[in-house]
Amino acid sequence: MIITVASGKGGTGKTTVAVNLALALAADSASAGPLFLDCDVEEPNAALFLQPVIEESKEVGQLIPQVNPDKCTYCGRCAEVCQYHAIAVVGKKVLVFPELCHGCGSCTLNCPTGAISEVLDVMGTIERGWAGPVEFAQGTMNVGEAMAVPIIKQLKQWTIPSATGDRPVILDAPPGTACPVVETMRGADFVLLVTEPTPFGLHDLRLTVEVARDELELPVGVVINRDGVGDQGVEEYCAAEGIPILMRIPLDRQIAEAYSEGVPLVKAQPAYRQKFRALYEMIQRQVEGGKQ
Amino acid sequence: MKQMKQLVVLSGKGGTGKTTITAALAHLASQEFPIVLADADVDAANLELVLNPVKQEEHDFMGGQVAIIEPEGCTACGICDAVCRFDAVHPPREPFEYAYKVDPLACEGCAACYYQCPEQVIRMEEQHAGRWFRSDTRFGPLFHAHLFAGQENSGKLVTLVKQQGRLQAIDTEAKLLLVDGPPGIGCPVISASAGADLALLVVEPTVSGVHDLERILATTEHFGVPALVTINKADLNPTRADEIAAFCVEREIEVVGRIPYNTVVTEAMVQGEPVTAYANAAGPVVAALVGLWEQVKANLR
């Protein structure tokens, strides 16, 4: 069971929900311990709450062209087929711009003399380990890099087994609705949308529903965080769209203070353990109900 | 200020209050001189929710291209699938389909399949990826955009919105281009910061906020943009706020204001008003924002 926790708007509580869901399920000895992936590779924060022990890490990136000058005839075919202007032939010189390259390999395929080989351009790191009974993995993009998607993709490939069965796999998504979010949602069984009941929260929730439910055709449910602040817009929207509200976390200064210190909610207020388990059961029912 | 200056509001971590602070600065700055606004969060643009813009112009944004396989002529040889590194090409789902198909959300428009297809039945098509707008607000013109769900090229759209804002600012001799940035440190952030004279980093006093400040600061330093820090909801955790202040001293970054936590900020948002313009908001939050603007202004000179 793969659950992606997303939100559109930043700071609504994605990491709080994802981390506490994992911790609540880890305490339940009936099932295998959950696997947790922090896919917000631009600003990964879950480790601050889960305090994992990292056991393995590797550098990731994408393959960029390297031209062998002995074989190159400077015909310019590579530059012609590159859609990203990442390779240019200037006189008797071939210039490669790694920050523009998408690692598609089209230049290699099209080079008539086989002068191009590919080398790894490092864009970040992926790591895995354990936070007690929670298996943990995260990706971190290097500062100055632009593209998060290759890192997220490789993090998922490295850690998520082809058949997860009943084991909960929880993915903490980045904010926004663009390609890194799509990559984090792809392949999920359920997308849990964390929002706050404000006009900003609602506006971005709508956009995220468009991505998850309408474009990717995944079942979705909502968690309202900071319930009690703002207005009724999110409630009305969910009712009109038939989107289930699966959990509410009230606006509570104590919760915010615990968060600010990196203390997970289920540790600060143990009653939430049961609430997050109930959330998981509701998600299971939603997914099973959708299959029938 | 003699020349037009460009100020970008960033945060790294999302939801720390970038838009709230941008809207307040727009209100305060526009009382002193003409400004132009740009919302560079094109995934989830929120500045319009508090500025009540009236749209004056609307334009299509053509993003990257995607591959399309003409089903007639496809012999299902599978070369397209084999060369695609983005898992964007899928084999036919028999018995109803007989041609390979491209998933437009996964396609990155590299055209590798286009060049390798032996039947030449693949074409590349530009995508209508979003819209951008020029609107009027009571604080000045606003340039904003909406990138369609799941699209790529957000950096390109950010650049376009900012360019338009910049041209308008130069034409009208506005003194400030105020840019509301996206969260993160990746491509749209890099585009939003390009050419900025100053970045205002909005941080919250939490373990995540401290961690993310280090990364966004490394990013602005990497691109050579001077930065100031403001601590939002500072009283939520005074110890963490002090830690941020100490970190900034060490890095020789000025902290320009600590804004207290108050639900009046959300009330103003629900009313669609910048908090500084919201009638019920007189008090410590507004005082902190007025002080913040004075310090930002001094740094823009």
Side-chain angles (χ1 to χ4, degrees):
Chain A
M1 168 83 108
I2 302 176
I3 301 168
T4 296
V5 183
S7 76
K9 174 165 160 49
T12 58
K14 281 181 298 298
T15 302
T16 296
V17 168
V19 160
N20 286 290
L21 183 58
L23 288 173
L25 295 174
D28 179 6
S29 54
S31 59
L35 167 62
F36 183 100
L37 271 70
D38 192 344
C39 295
D40 186 359
V41 303
E42 294 181 41
E43 297 287 14
N45 282 332
L48 298 170
F49 299 89
L50 287 170
Q51 303 286 340
V53 178
I54 299 298
E55 293 178 353
E56 206 182 335
S57 78
K58 63 176 183 178
E59 288 186 321
V60 291
Q62 62 187 11
L63 295 171
I64 61 166
Q66 191 176 47
V67 179
N68 177 351
D70 297 336
K71 286 188 183 172
C72 181
T73 61
Y74 308 97
C75 70
R77 180 66 177 159
C78 50
E80 194 183 301
V81 300
C82 179
Q83 305 297 303
Y84 311 111
H85 312 291
I87 189 163
V89 182
V90 186
K92 292 247 179 264
K93 220 174 183 176
V94 183
L95 304 172
V96 174
F97 305 101
E99 65 279 13
L100 298 177
C101 181
H102 283 223
C104 71
S106 195
C107 54
T108 314
L109 288 169
N110 283 286
C111 176
T113 59
I116 300 179
S117 54
E118 294 178 46
V119 289
L120 183 73
D121 177 43
V122 173
M123 300 162 76
T125 312
I126 54 178
E127 297 167 294
R128 64 203 284 181
W130 290 86
V134 178
E135 189 177 3
F136 176 89
Q138 69 175 359
T140 309
M141 187 169 90
N142 292 345
V143 166
E145 290 287 344
M147 282 184 279
V149 171
I151 301 167
I152 300 170
K153 208 177 252 187
Q154 286 171 64
L155 176 68
K156 287 170 69 180
Q157 277 165 0
W158 193 43
T159 52
I160 302 178
S162 54
T164 56
D166 286 339
R167 186 182 183 198
V169 179
I170 297 162
L171 278 69
D172 190 6
T177 57
C179 39
V181 176
V182 173
E183 184 53 44
T184 309
M185 289 179 180
R186 197 181 289 284
D189 297 300
F190 192 82
V191 177
L192 189 60
L193 302 170
V194 184
T195 190
E196 57 177 39
T198 65
F200 286 9
L202 171 61
H203 178 264
D204 298 349
L205 173 64
R206 277 177 201 274
L207 298 172
T208 318
V209 168
E210 275 181 39
V211 178
R213 188 189 66 182
D214 305 343
E215 294 280 343
L216 295 169
E217 298 175 3
L218 298 170
V220 299
V222 162
V223 173
I224 298 184
N225 192 15
R226 304 194 191 104
D227 193 24
V229 78
D231 58 13
Q232 295 301 307
V234 168
E235 304 262 348
E236 287 162 12
Y237 167 76
C238 289
E241 291 284 326
I243 298 169
I245 296 172
L246 302 177
M247 187 180 190
R248 290 163 200 275
I249 303 171
L251 177 71
D252 176 346
R253 201 176 163 108
Q254 283 179 342
I255 294 178
E257 283 171 6
Y259 172 89
S260 75
E261 283 301 320
V263 179
L265 185 50
V266 294
K267 292 207 173 123
Q269 300 190 13
Y272 272 94
R273 226 172 258 282
Q274 196 46 47
K275 292 181 188 175
F276 277 100
R277 275 188 220 158
L279 170 65
Y280 185 68
E281 281 163 21
M282 275 188 278
I283 293 171
Q284 278 179 314
R285 279 202 292 277
Q286 293 281 332
V287 171
E288 278 157 21
K291 277 180 187 157
Q292 283 157 13
Chain B
M1 274 177 269
K2 284 210 175 79
Q3 272 187 319
M4 191 264 285
K5 299 282 182 178
Q6 189 173 317
L7 170 68
V8 60
V9 182
L10 296 171
S11 72
K13 175 167 162 45
T16 60
K18 281 183 297 302
T19 303
T20 295
I21 287 173
T22 306
L25 293 180
H27 170 233
L28 297 171
S30 66
Q31 294 174 344
E32 299 181 28
F33 42 72
I35 66 165
V36 174
L37 295 152
D39 191 343
D41 188 353
V42 298
D43 287 22
N46 283 338
L47 194 53
E48 61 195 54
L49 299 177
V50 280
L51 296 182
N52 299 309
V54 180
K55 275 178 197 156
Q56 302 296 323
E57 282 177 37
E58 188 166 342
H59 303 269
D60 287 335
F61 168 66
M62 302 308 286
Q65 48 187 7
V66 298
I68 293 170
I69 301 173
E70 273 318 324
E72 281 89 77
C74 174
T75 60
C77 69
I79 290 174
C80 48
D81 187 10
V83 299
C84 179
R85 292 192 180 170
F86 307 108
D87 293 323
V89 188
H90 302 296
R93 264 177 277 195
E94 289 168 355
F96 305 109
E97 292 175 1
Y98 53 91
Y100 274 70
K101 226 178 180 172
V102 176
D103 169 1
L105 277 185
C107 178
E108 297 207 10
C110 73
C113 58
Y114 165 83
Y115 285 106
Q116 299 304 315
C117 175
E119 308 301 327
Q120 301 190 340
V121 292
I122 300 179
R123 64 193 155 85
M124 302 302 297
E125 203 167 80
E126 250 200 338
Q127 288 282 92
H128 181 201
R131 288 181 169 288
W132 67 271
F133 317 95
R134 179 178 69 84
S135 298
D136 282 346
T137 77
R138 61 205 148 123
F139 307 129
L142 168 68
F143 291 83
H144 49 138
H146 171 45
L147 187 72
F148 295 154
Q151 288 289 336
E152 282 180 59
N153 281 304
S154 54
K156 209 170 138 189
L157 183 52
V158 169
T159 303
L160 177 75
V161 164
K162 260 185 42 193
Q163 258 171 4
Q164 294 295 331
R166 198 178 165 78
L167 289 175
Q168 170 102 12
I170 292 168
D171 280 355
T172 57
E173 294 183 358
K175 295 286 177 240
L176 177 69
L177 175 62
L178 177 56
V179 181
D180 188 11
I185 63 165
C187 87
V189 175
I190 295 169
S191 301
S193 329
D197 297 293
L198 187 65
L200 176 63
L201 310 180
V202 183
V203 53
E204 58 176 37
T206 65
V207 286
S208 311
V210 176
H211 176 255
D212 292 356
L213 171 63
E214 289 180 33
R215 285 172 61 80
I216 186 67
L217 193 58
T219 307
T220 51
E221 278 172 2
H222 182 92
F223 292 99
V225 179
L228 305 173
V229 164
T230 186
I231 307 172
N232 196 14
K233 304 178 193 168
D235 54 338
L236 204 59
N237 189 331
T239 314
R240 293 278 170 202
D242 290 343
E243 195 182 309
I244 291 166
F247 168 81
C248 290
V249 168
E250 200 178 297
R251 299 287 288 265
E252 296 179 15
I253 303 291
E254 195 182 334
V255 175
V256 288
R258 297 184 181 207
I259 301 159
Y261 173 77
N262 198 310
T263 49
V264 76
V265 174
T266 314
E267 270 174 50
M269 186 210 290
V270 169
Q271 298 304 319
E273 289 272 6
V275 63
T276 44
Y278 179 55
N280 298 337
V285 172
V286 173
L289 286 165
V290 169
L292 168 67
W293 165 237
E294 289 303 325
Q295 282 173 286
V296 168
K297 196 169 55 177
N299 274 281
L300 280 168
R301 285 221 170 86

